[in-house]
CSV table of all heavy atoms in Angstrom, one decimal:
chain,number,residue,atom,x,y,z
K,1,ASN,N,198.3,-73.3,75.1
K,1,ASN,CA,197.3,-73.3,76.3
K,1,ASN,C,196.1,-74.1,75.9
K,1,ASN,O,195.7,-74.9,76.7
K,1,ASN,CB,197.0,-71.9,76.8
K,1,ASN,CG,196.1,-71.9,77.9
K,1,ASN,OD1,196.2,-72.7,78.8
K,1,ASN,ND2,195.2,-70.9,78.0
K,2,THR,N,195.6,-73.8,74.8
K,2,THR,CA,194.3,-74.5,74.4
K,2,THR,C,194.7,-76.0,74.1
K,2,THR,O,193.9,-76.8,74.5
K,2,THR,CB,193.8,-73.9,73.1
K,2,THR,OG1,193.5,-72.5,73.3
K,2,THR,CG2,192.6,-74.6,72.5
K,3,LYS,N,195.8,-76.3,73.6
K,3,LYS,CA,196.2,-77.7,73.4
K,3,LYS,C,196.3,-78.5,74.7
K,3,LYS,O,195.9,-79.6,74.9
K,3,LYS,CB,197.5,-77.8,72.7
K,3,LYS,CG,197.4,-77.4,71.2
K,3,LYS,CD,198.8,-77.5,70.5
K,3,LYS,CE,198.8,-76.8,69.2
K,3,LYS,NZ,200.2,-76.8,68.6
K,4,ARG,N,197.0,-77.7,75.7
K,4,ARG,CA,197.1,-78.4,77.1
K,4,ARG,C,195.7,-78.7,77.6
K,4,ARG,O,195.4,-79.8,78.2
K,4,ARG,CB,197.9,-77.5,77.9
K,4,ARG,CG,199.3,-77.7,77.7
K,4,ARG,CD,200.2,-77.1,78.8
K,4,ARG,NE,200.0,-75.7,78.9
K,4,ARG,CZ,200.7,-74.8,78.2
K,4,ARG,NH1,201.6,-75.2,77.4
K,4,ARG,NH2,200.5,-73.4,78.3
K,5,ARG,N,194.7,-77.7,77.5
K,5,ARG,CA,193.4,-77.8,78.1
K,5,ARG,C,192.8,-79.0,77.3
K,5,ARG,O,192.0,-79.8,78.0
K,5,ARG,CB,192.6,-76.5,77.9
K,5,ARG,CG,193.0,-75.5,78.8
K,5,ARG,CD,192.2,-74.2,78.4
K,5,ARG,NE,192.5,-73.1,79.2
K,5,ARG,CZ,191.9,-72.6,80.3
K,5,ARG,NH1,190.7,-73.3,80.6
K,5,ARG,NH2,192.2,-71.6,80.9
K,6,ALA,N,192.8,-79.1,76.1
K,6,ALA,CA,192.3,-80.2,75.3
K,6,ALA,C,192.7,-81.6,75.8
K,6,ALA,O,192.0,-82.5,75.9
K,6,ALA,CB,192.5,-80.0,73.8
K,7,MET,N,194.0,-81.6,76.0
K,7,MET,CA,194.7,-82.9,76.6
K,7,MET,C,194.0,-83.3,77.8
K,7,MET,O,193.8,-84.5,78.1
K,7,MET,CB,196.2,-82.8,76.7
K,7,MET,CG,196.9,-82.9,75.3
K,7,MET,SD,196.6,-84.5,74.5
K,7,MET,CE,197.2,-85.7,75.6
K,8,ASP,N,193.9,-82.4,78.8
K,8,ASP,CA,193.3,-82.6,80.1
K,8,ASP,C,191.8,-83.1,79.8
K,8,ASP,O,191.4,-84.0,80.6
K,8,ASP,CB,193.2,-81.2,81.0
K,8,ASP,CG,194.6,-80.9,81.4
K,8,ASP,OD1,195.5,-81.8,81.4
K,8,ASP,OD2,194.8,-79.8,81.8
K,9,VAL,N,191.0,-82.4,79.0
K,9,VAL,CA,189.6,-82.9,78.7
K,9,VAL,C,189.6,-84.3,78.1
K,9,VAL,O,188.8,-85.0,78.6
K,9,VAL,CB,188.9,-81.8,77.8
K,9,VAL,CG1,187.6,-82.4,77.4
K,9,VAL,CG2,188.7,-80.5,78.5
K,10,MET,N,190.4,-84.6,77.2
K,10,MET,CA,190.4,-85.9,76.6
K,10,MET,C,190.8,-87.0,77.5
K,10,MET,O,190.2,-88.0,77.5
K,10,MET,CB,191.4,-85.9,75.4
K,10,MET,CG,191.4,-87.1,74.5
K,10,MET,SD,189.8,-87.5,73.9
K,10,MET,CE,189.8,-86.5,72.4
K,11,ASN,N,191.8,-86.7,78.4
K,11,ASN,CA,192.2,-87.7,79.4
K,11,ASN,C,191.0,-87.9,80.5
K,11,ASN,O,190.8,-89.1,80.7
K,11,ASN,CB,193.5,-87.1,80.2
K,11,ASN,CG,194.7,-87.3,79.5
K,11,ASN,OD1,194.8,-88.0,78.5
K,11,ASN,ND2,195.7,-86.4,79.8
K,12,ASN,N,190.3,-87.0,80.8
K,12,ASN,CA,189.1,-87.1,81.6
K,12,ASN,C,188.0,-87.9,80.9
K,12,ASN,O,187.3,-88.8,81.6
K,12,ASN,CB,188.6,-85.8,82.0
K,12,ASN,CG,189.3,-85.1,83.2
K,12,ASN,OD1,190.1,-85.8,83.9
K,12,ASN,ND2,189.3,-83.8,83.1
K,13,LEU,N,187.8,-87.7,79.6
K,13,LEU,CA,186.8,-88.4,78.8
K,13,LEU,C,187.2,-89.9,78.7
K,13,LEU,O,186.4,-90.7,78.9
K,13,LEU,CB,186.7,-87.8,77.5
K,13,LEU,CG,186.0,-86.4,77.4
K,13,LEU,CD1,186.0,-86.1,75.9
K,13,LEU,CD2,184.5,-86.6,77.8
K,14,SER,N,188.5,-90.1,78.5
K,14,SER,CA,189.0,-91.5,78.4
K,14,SER,C,188.8,-92.2,79.8
K,14,SER,O,188.4,-93.5,79.8
K,14,SER,CB,190.5,-91.5,78.0
K,14,SER,OG,190.7,-91.0,76.8
K,15,LYS,N,189.2,-91.6,80.8
K,15,LYS,CA,188.9,-92.3,82.2
K,15,LYS,C,187.6,-92.6,82.4
K,15,LYS,O,187.3,-93.6,83.0
K,15,LYS,CB,189.5,-91.3,83.2
K,15,LYS,CG,191.0,-91.2,83.3
K,15,LYS,CD,191.5,-90.2,84.3
K,15,LYS,CE,192.9,-90.0,84.3
K,15,LYS,NZ,193.4,-89.0,85.2
K,16,ARG,N,186.6,-91.7,82.0
K,16,ARG,CA,185.2,-92.0,82.3
K,16,ARG,C,184.5,-92.8,81.1
K,16,ARG,O,183.4,-93.0,81.2
K,16,ARG,CB,184.5,-90.6,82.4
K,16,ARG,CG,185.0,-89.8,83.6
K,16,ARG,CD,184.4,-88.5,83.7
K,16,ARG,NE,183.0,-88.5,84.0
K,16,ARG,CZ,182.3,-87.4,84.1
K,16,ARG,NH1,182.8,-86.3,84.0
K,16,ARG,NH2,181.0,-87.5,84.4
K,17,GLU,N,185.4,-93.2,80.2
K,17,GLU,CA,185.0,-94.1,79.1
K,17,GLU,C,183.8,-93.4,78.2
K,17,GLU,O,183.1,-94.1,77.6
K,17,GLU,CB,184.6,-95.5,79.6
K,17,GLU,CG,185.7,-96.1,80.2
K,17,GLU,CD,185.3,-97.6,80.7
K,17,GLU,OE1,184.2,-98.0,80.5
K,17,GLU,OE2,186.3,-98.2,81.1
K,18,ILE,N,183.8,-92.1,78.3
K,18,ILE,CA,182.8,-91.4,77.3
K,18,ILE,C,183.2,-91.5,75.9
K,18,ILE,O,182.4,-91.4,75.0
K,18,ILE,CB,182.7,-90.0,77.9
K,18,ILE,CG1,182.0,-90.0,79.3
K,18,ILE,CG2,181.8,-89.1,76.9
K,18,ILE,CD1,181.9,-88.7,80.0
K,19,SER,N,184.4,-91.5,75.6
K,19,SER,CA,184.9,-91.6,74.3
K,19,SER,C,184.7,-92.9,73.5
K,19,SER,O,184.9,-93.0,72.3
K,19,SER,CB,186.4,-91.3,74.3
K,19,SER,OG,187.2,-92.3,74.9
K,20,ALA,N,184.3,-94.0,74.2
K,20,ALA,CA,184.1,-95.3,73.6
K,20,ALA,C,183.0,-95.2,72.5
K,20,ALA,O,182.0,-94.6,72.8
K,20,ALA,CB,183.7,-96.3,74.5
K,21,GLY,N,183.4,-95.7,71.2
K,21,GLY,CA,182.4,-95.8,70.2
K,21,GLY,C,182.1,-94.5,69.4
K,21,GLY,O,181.3,-94.4,68.5
K,22,LYS,N,182.8,-93.5,69.8
K,22,LYS,CA,182.8,-92.2,69.0
K,22,LYS,C,183.8,-92.1,67.9
K,22,LYS,O,184.9,-92.7,68.0
K,22,LYS,CB,182.9,-91.0,69.9
K,22,LYS,CG,181.9,-91.0,71.2
K,22,LYS,CD,180.5,-90.9,70.7
K,22,LYS,CE,179.5,-90.9,71.8
K,22,LYS,NZ,178.2,-91.0,71.4
K,23,HIS,N,183.5,-91.4,66.9
K,23,HIS,CA,184.3,-91.1,65.8
K,23,HIS,C,185.5,-90.4,66.3
K,23,HIS,O,185.4,-89.2,66.9
K,23,HIS,CB,183.7,-90.3,64.6
K,23,HIS,CG,184.4,-90.2,63.5
K,23,HIS,ND1,185.3,-89.1,63.3
K,23,HIS,CD2,184.6,-90.9,62.3
K,23,HIS,CE1,186.0,-89.2,62.2
K,23,HIS,NE2,185.4,-90.3,61.5
K,24,PRO,N,186.8,-90.9,66.2
K,24,PRO,CA,187.9,-90.3,66.9
K,24,PRO,C,188.2,-88.8,66.5
K,24,PRO,O,188.5,-87.9,67.2
K,24,PRO,CB,189.1,-91.2,66.5
K,24,PRO,CG,188.5,-92.4,66.1
K,24,PRO,CD,187.1,-92.2,65.5
K,25,MET,N,188.0,-88.5,65.1
K,25,MET,CA,188.3,-87.2,64.6
K,25,MET,C,187.2,-86.2,65.0
K,25,MET,O,187.6,-85.1,65.4
K,25,MET,CB,188.4,-87.2,63.1
K,25,MET,CG,189.2,-86.1,62.5
K,25,MET,SD,190.9,-86.0,63.3
K,25,MET,CE,191.8,-87.2,62.2
K,26,ALA,N,186.0,-86.7,65.2
K,26,ALA,CA,184.8,-85.9,65.6
K,26,ALA,C,185.1,-85.4,67.1
K,26,ALA,O,184.8,-84.4,67.5
K,26,ALA,CB,183.6,-86.5,65.4
K,27,LEU,N,185.4,-86.5,67.9
K,27,LEU,CA,185.7,-86.3,69.2
K,27,LEU,C,186.8,-85.4,69.6
K,27,LEU,O,186.8,-84.4,70.4
K,27,LEU,CB,185.9,-87.6,70.1
K,27,LEU,CG,186.0,-87.5,71.6
K,27,LEU,CD1,184.6,-87.0,72.1
K,27,LEU,CD2,186.2,-89.0,72.0
K,28,ALA,N,187.9,-85.5,68.8
K,28,ALA,CA,189.1,-84.7,69.0
K,28,ALA,C,188.8,-83.1,68.6
K,28,ALA,O,189.1,-82.3,69.3
K,28,ALA,CB,190.3,-85.2,68.0
K,29,ALA,N,188.0,-83.1,67.5
K,29,ALA,CA,187.6,-81.7,67.1
K,29,ALA,C,186.7,-81.1,68.1
K,29,ALA,O,186.9,-79.8,68.5
K,29,ALA,CB,186.9,-81.7,65.7
K,30,THR,N,185.8,-81.8,68.8
K,30,THR,CA,184.9,-81.3,69.8
K,30,THR,C,185.6,-80.9,70.9
K,30,THR,O,185.3,-79.8,71.6
K,30,THR,CB,183.8,-82.4,70.0
K,30,THR,OG1,183.1,-82.7,68.8
K,30,THR,CG2,182.8,-81.9,71.2
K,31,VAL,N,186.5,-81.7,71.4
K,31,VAL,CA,187.4,-81.5,72.6
K,31,VAL,C,188.2,-80.1,72.3
K,31,VAL,O,188.3,-79.3,73.2
K,31,VAL,CB,188.3,-82.6,73.0
K,31,VAL,CG1,189.4,-82.2,74.0
K,31,VAL,CG2,187.5,-83.8,73.5
K,32,LEU,N,188.8,-80.0,71.2
K,32,LEU,CA,189.5,-78.7,70.8
K,32,LEU,C,188.6,-77.5,70.8
K,32,LEU,O,188.9,-76.5,71.3
K,32,LEU,CB,190.1,-78.9,69.4
K,32,LEU,CG,191.3,-79.8,69.5
K,32,LEU,CD1,191.8,-80.1,68.0
K,32,LEU,CD2,192.5,-79.3,70.2
K,33,TYR,N,187.4,-77.7,70.3
K,33,TYR,CA,186.4,-76.6,70.3
K,33,TYR,C,186.0,-76.2,71.8
K,33,TYR,O,186.0,-75.0,72.0
K,33,TYR,CB,185.1,-77.0,69.5
K,33,TYR,CG,184.1,-75.9,69.5
K,33,TYR,CD1,184.4,-74.7,68.7
K,33,TYR,CD2,182.9,-76.1,70.0
K,33,TYR,CE1,183.4,-73.7,68.8
K,33,TYR,CE2,181.9,-75.0,70.1
K,33,TYR,CZ,182.2,-73.9,69.5
K,33,TYR,OH,181.3,-72.8,69.3
K,34,VAL,N,185.8,-77.1,72.6
K,34,VAL,CA,185.4,-76.8,73.9
K,34,VAL,C,186.6,-76.2,74.7
K,34,VAL,O,186.4,-75.2,75.4
K,34,VAL,CB,185.1,-78.1,74.7
K,34,VAL,CG1,185.1,-78.0,76.1
K,34,VAL,CG2,183.7,-78.8,74.2
K,35,SER,N,187.8,-76.6,74.4
K,35,SER,CA,189.0,-76.0,75.0
K,35,SER,C,189.3,-74.6,74.4
K,35,SER,O,189.7,-73.8,75.3
K,35,SER,CB,190.3,-76.9,74.6
K,35,SER,OG,190.1,-78.2,75.1
K,36,CYS,N,188.9,-74.4,73.2
K,36,CYS,CA,188.9,-72.9,72.7
K,36,CYS,C,187.9,-72.0,73.5
K,36,CYS,O,188.3,-71.0,73.9
K,36,CYS,CB,188.5,-72.9,71.3
K,36,CYS,SG,189.9,-73.4,70.2
K,37,LEU,N,186.7,-72.6,73.7
K,37,LEU,CA,185.7,-71.9,74.4
K,37,LEU,C,186.2,-71.5,75.9
K,37,LEU,O,186.0,-70.4,76.4
K,37,LEU,CB,184.4,-72.6,74.5
K,37,LEU,CG,183.7,-72.8,73.2
K,37,LEU,CD1,182.4,-73.7,73.5
K,37,LEU,CD2,183.3,-71.4,72.5
K,38,ASN,N,186.8,-72.5,76.5
K,38,ASN,CA,187.3,-72.4,77.9
K,38,ASN,C,188.5,-71.5,78.0
K,38,ASN,O,188.7,-70.8,79.0
K,38,ASN,CB,187.6,-73.8,78.5
K,38,ASN,CG,186.4,-74.6,78.7
K,38,ASN,OD1,185.2,-74.1,78.8
K,38,ASN,ND2,186.5,-75.9,78.8
K,39,SER,N,189.3,-71.5,77.1
K,39,SER,CA,190.6,-70.7,77.0
K,39,SER,C,190.3,-69.2,76.6
K,39,SER,O,191.2,-68.4,76.7
K,39,SER,CB,191.7,-71.4,76.3
K,39,SER,OG,191.5,-71.4,75.0
K,40,GLY,N,189.2,-69.0,75.9
K,40,GLY,CA,189.0,-67.8,75.3
K,40,GLY,C,189.6,-67.5,73.9
K,40,GLY,O,189.5,-66.4,73.4
K,41,GLU,N,190.1,-68.6,73.4
K,41,GLU,CA,190.7,-68.5,72.0
K,41,GLU,C,189.5,-68.5,71.1
K,41,GLU,O,188.6,-69.3,71.1
K,41,GLU,CB,191.6,-69.7,71.8
K,41,GLU,CG,192.3,-69.6,70.4
K,41,GLU,CD,193.4,-70.6,70.2
K,41,GLU,OE1,193.8,-71.3,71.1
K,41,GLU,OE2,194.0,-70.5,69.1
K,42,ILE,N,189.6,-67.5,70.1
K,42,ILE,CA,188.4,-67.3,69.2
K,42,ILE,C,188.6,-68.2,68.0
K,42,ILE,O,189.5,-67.8,67.1
K,42,ILE,CB,188.3,-65.9,68.8
K,42,ILE,CG1,188.0,-65.1,70.1
K,42,ILE,CG2,187.1,-65.8,67.8
K,42,ILE,CD1,187.9,-63.7,69.9
K,43,LYS,N,187.8,-69.3,67.9
K,43,LYS,CA,187.9,-70.1,66.7
K,43,LYS,C,186.5,-70.6,66.5
K,43,LYS,O,185.7,-70.8,67.5
K,43,LYS,CB,188.7,-71.5,67.0
K,43,LYS,CG,190.2,-71.2,67.0
K,43,LYS,CD,190.8,-70.7,65.7
K,43,LYS,CE,192.2,-70.5,65.8
K,43,LYS,NZ,192.9,-70.0,64.5
K,44,THR,N,186.0,-70.6,65.2
K,44,THR,CA,184.6,-71.0,65.0
K,44,THR,C,184.5,-72.5,64.8
K,44,THR,O,185.5,-73.2,64.7
K,44,THR,CB,184.2,-70.4,63.7
K,44,THR,OG1,184.9,-70.8,62.5
K,44,THR,CG2,184.2,-68.8,63.7
K,45,GLN,N,183.3,-73.0,64.9
K,45,GLN,CA,182.9,-74.3,64.6
K,45,GLN,C,183.5,-74.7,63.3
K,45,GLN,O,184.1,-75.7,63.1
K,45,GLN,CB,181.5,-74.7,64.7
K,45,GLN,CG,180.9,-74.6,66.2
K,45,GLN,CD,179.5,-74.8,66.2
K,45,GLN,OE1,178.8,-75.0,65.3
K,45,GLN,NE2,179.0,-74.9,67.5
K,46,THR,N,183.4,-73.8,62.3
K,46,THR,CA,183.8,-74.1,61.0
K,46,THR,C,185.4,-74.3,61.0
K,46,THR,O,185.9,-75.1,60.3
K,46,THR,CB,183.4,-72.9,60.0
K,46,THR,OG1,182.0,-72.8,60.1
K,46,THR,CG2,183.9,-73.2,58.6
K,47,ASP,N,186.1,-73.4,61.6
K,47,ASP,CA,187.5,-73.5,61.7
K,47,ASP,C,188.0,-74.8,62.2
K,47,ASP,O,188.8,-75.5,61.6
K,47,ASP,CB,188.2,-72.4,62.6
K,47,ASP,CG,187.9,-71.0,62.2
K,47,ASP,OD1,187.8,-70.8,61.0
K,47,ASP,OD2,187.9,-70.2,63.1
K,48,ILE,N,187.4,-75.3,63.3
K,48,ILE,CA,187.7,-76.6,63.9
K,48,ILE,C,187.3,-77.8,63.0
K,48,ILE,O,188.1,-78.7,62.8
K,48,ILE,CB,187.1,-76.7,65.3
K,48,ILE,CG1,187.7,-75.5,66.2
K,48,ILE,CG2,187.6,-78.1,66.0
K,48,ILE,CD1,189.1,-75.4,66.5
């Protein structure tokens, strides 16, 4: 569920060109962290 939410967020970011020029791994991690927050999955910033 969290992975699917992350894909939706990443697709929206790509469409809005917000991802341009950002470190890909940092952006992926951030999107996953946001998706965890939205889905209620408990993961710390350190985990991600």
Side-chain angles (χ1 to χ4, degrees):
N1 182 40
T2 301
K3 291 178 191 177
R4 280 192 296 274
R5 286 176 184 260
M7 284 301 300
D8 291 341
V9 171
M10 187 60 83
N11 287 335
N12 287 333
L13 289 175
S14 295
K15 287 178 188 173
R16 296 173 72 177
E17 298 181 0
I18 293 174
S19 62
K22 302 295 181 193
H23 184 274
M25 204 56 83
L27 187 61
T30 305
V31 167
L32 289 169
Y33 180 68
V34 168
S35 298
C36 286
L37 294 176
N38 291 339
S39 69
E41 185 167 357
I42 299 172
K43 293 290 179 179
T44 64
Q45 289 178 354
T46 303
D47 295 335
I48 302 296

